[in-house]
Amino acid sequence: VGGGLRIGERGGSTGVYTISGGALTTAGLYVGAGGKFRMAHPSAAVTVTEVLSLGPGSTFEAVYGTEIHMAGADLINRSTDWMKLATSGNLTLIFEGGMADVSTFEVAGWDWGPVPEAYLFNITLETLQLGGAAPGRIRLVDDFDNMPGEAEALYVRRLVLNEGACIELNGLNLYYLDDGGQPRQFFVGDANLDGQVGIADLVALAENYGITQDALWARGDFNGDLAVGIADLVALADHYGCGAGGTVSPPPVPEPTALALLTSAGIATLLRRRRRSDTRKTGTVENRQ
């Protein structure tokens, strides 16, 4: 659908679109106040290339395992009724617009913090995946008051950061569940996604410092440029200590001396790893001789 699929968008109109198999590719998917979009089977393949828009009063239903591929598309959400979007919690959104495309993502959940209760009565996603057929990059926005009078955030059960992934929080909060099902807050610099930025993340970055290919978030590529370098180290330093001791918001940017200490620690870790590698290589040669 080149021009966009519009469902119950005009005043006084109603419309229902159900996909239970096959594929739908559309530039825009607009679900209005009188519209209902239903993904009735996980085999249904939906791709949106420009915008996915959920209007006030719109209804979105999805069975578990369904996916929408956001191939450069923005997510607009003007709904104020979380119950009409409740089954969106079964959905996986895969952002794969490429290196040059940053998709905006409207946060719409009530920001209760990283607590289990927030996943019971809130707008949530099953999985947010950045990167698929191409890298995925998003920027969180809060352009609409989905929860009138309340702070808003993005809640997902599973967070997948593939090659080239980049998340611009834009002062907003993102929460996810770790492998043990515990809620965590997302921070830039948290390489292992344990909910805090600390020495383990610095070590992961140091071990991969200087690589220019196959860079992943878990290896220290926090800006999604497919490399691990000084920009990633600065990003980690800016958020070092976030999440520790129950902190749920970024601490102040470190002083230059703190950044220098983190830089020194990272370089020292890298040098130690290289020395160990050189020692192993030398020992192998000697044994062969």
Side-chain angles (χ1 to χ4, degrees):
V1 183
L5 176 62
R6 300 177 181 272
I7 308 166
E9 191 180 34
R10 294 183 179 180
S13 70
T14 59
V16 178
Y17 185 101
T18 300
I19 181 168
S20 55
L24 165 67
T25 298
T26 177
L29 176 56
Y30 304 86
V31 188
K36 177 186 291 187
F37 184 76
R38 299 179 63 243
M39 299 187 69
H41 196 280
S43 67
V46 177
T47 299
V48 183
T49 59
E50 292 182 8
V51 60
L52 169 57
S53 176
L54 303 174
S58 60
T59 301
F60 185 101
E61 296 179 356
V63 300
Y64 184 80
T66 48
E67 298 179 349
I68 294 182
H69 293 258
M70 305 285 281
D74 297 322
L75 175 63
I76 298 173
N77 186 354
R78 296 188 176 93
S79 174
T80 56
D81 186 350
W82 74 271
M83 286 295 293
K84 290 189 174 183
L85 306 181
T87 57
S88 65
N90 293 322
L91 179 69
T92 291
L93 280 183
I94 302 174
F95 286 85
E96 48 189 6
M99 295 291 291
D101 202 322
V102 179
S103 298
T104 57
F105 192 122
E106 175 74 23
V107 302
W110 186 0
D111 191 348
W112 292 2
V115 296
E117 294 78 10
Y119 287 84
L120 299 178
F121 308 103
N122 219 340
I123 297 176
T124 64
L125 274 178
E126 172 60 28
T127 303
L128 171 61
Q129 177 179 322
L130 302 187
R137 310 164 73 86
I138 64 171
R139 182 174 187 264
L140 302 188
V141 296
D142 185 12
D143 294 335
F144 187 80
D145 198 7
N146 303 88
M147 299 288 178
E150 304 293 342
E152 295 173 13
L154 173 59
Y155 283 87
V156 303
R157 291 186 177 86
R158 184 167 174 257
L159 181 61
V160 179
L161 302 177
N162 291 328
E163 186 175 285
C166 182
I167 300 177
E168 298 179 23
L169 290 173
N170 194 27
L172 299 167
N173 293 328
L174 165 61
Y175 305 102
Y176 61 95
L177 302 180
D178 64 17
D179 291 339
Q182 295 301 310
R184 303 293 184 188
Q185 181 172 353
F186 174 84
F187 297 107
V188 175
D190 183 8
N192 60 4
L193 295 180
D194 66 350
Q196 59 184 5
V197 183
I199 189 63
D201 307 300
L202 179 60
V203 170
L205 186 149
E207 289 179 338
N208 296 284
Y209 194 87
I211 66 172
T212 57
Q213 59 184 2
D214 299 326
L216 295 167
W217 182 274
R219 302 180 73 180
D221 179 20
F222 304 128
N223 62 359
D225 64 354
L226 305 179
V228 180
I230 187 64
D232 304 299
L233 182 58
V234 170
L236 187 149
D238 285 347
H239 299 89
Y240 197 85
C242 284
T247 302
V248 295
S249 59
V253 175
E255 297 295 327
T257 51
L259 177 58
L261 287 172
L262 285 173
T263 304
S264 299
I267 293 173
T269 302
L270 180 61
L271 290 175
R272 285 198 300 271
R273 181 172 177 81
R274 285 180 175 174
R275 288 195 196 101
R276 290 197 299 269
S277 178
D278 291 342
T279 300
R280 287 195 295 268
K281 290 178 181 178
T282 302
T284 301
V285 172
E286 290 175 352
N287 288 339
R288 288 178 179 174
Q289 291 174 343

